[in-house]
C-alpha cells in the first residue's frame, strides 16, 4: 500500500493493495474522470508533484514515464511511500 496526498486539499488517502488510486479516492468522495480503466486512453491522466509512480499504463511513452510528473491512476501505482498529486 501507499498514500496519495492531494495538493489542493492536503487530504491524504491510503491506497490499499486491492484498490486502484481511482477507487481509493472515490471512497473518500474524490472523483477523477475515467474511461478505459486499463491505462490505454489517458482520460484519467493526473499530474504528479512529488513521488515516483509505478507506471502500469500503455498510454504514456517511456520518455514521458521516466519524467514522473504524471501518471494514470486507473491502473498505475507508486514506488514511493507517497505520491503528491496536483488535484
Ligand atoms: Fe484510461 Fe486511465 S481511464 S488510462
Amino acid at each position: 500500500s501507499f498514500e496519495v496526498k492531494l495538493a489542493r486539499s492536503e487530504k491524504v488517502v491510503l491506497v490499499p493493495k486491492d484498490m486502484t488510486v481511482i477507487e481509493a479516492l472515490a471512497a473518500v468522495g474524490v472523483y477523477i474522470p475515467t474511461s478505459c480503466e486499463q491505462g490505454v486512453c489517458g482520460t484519467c491522466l493526473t499530474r504528479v508533484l512529488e513521488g515516483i509512480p509505478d507506471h502500469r499504463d500503455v498510454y504514456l511513452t517511456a520518455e514521458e514515464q521516466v519524467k514522473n510528473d504524471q501518471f494514470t491512476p486507473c491502473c498505475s501505482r507508486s514506488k514511493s511511500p507517497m505520491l503528491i498529486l496536483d488535484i
Side-chain angles (χ1 to χ4, degrees):
S1 65
F2 57 95
E3 290 179 316
V4 293
K5 182 171 178 175
L6 313 186
R8 293 177 206 173
S9 60
E10 302 213 325
K11 203 177 269 198
V12 176
V13 180
L14 179 75
V15 183
K17 269 200 171 86
D18 59 347
M19 282 175 103
T20 66
V21 175
I22 293 282
E23 289 167 346
L25 290 180
V28 297
V30 177
Y31 301 99
I32 294 177
T34 62
S35 178
C36 72
E37 300 195 358
Q38 292 177 43
V40 176
C41 71
T43 302
C44 65
L45 198 64
T46 300
R47 266 174 48 83
V48 175
L49 300 175
E50 271 185 62
I52 304 169
D54 179 6
H55 296 286
R56 299 192 181 177
D57 64 286
V58 294
Y59 176 77
L60 293 171
T61 64
E63 268 172 12
E64 288 171 330
Q65 288 188 348
V66 296
K67 287 186 190 163
N68 292 331
D69 62 355
Q70 52 185 348
F71 88 136
T72 55
C74 67
C75 60
S76 294
R77 307 191 65 81
S78 185
K79 289 181 178 166
S80 52
M82 180 180 275
L83 286 181
I84 302 184
L85 306 181
D86 188 19
I87 55 172

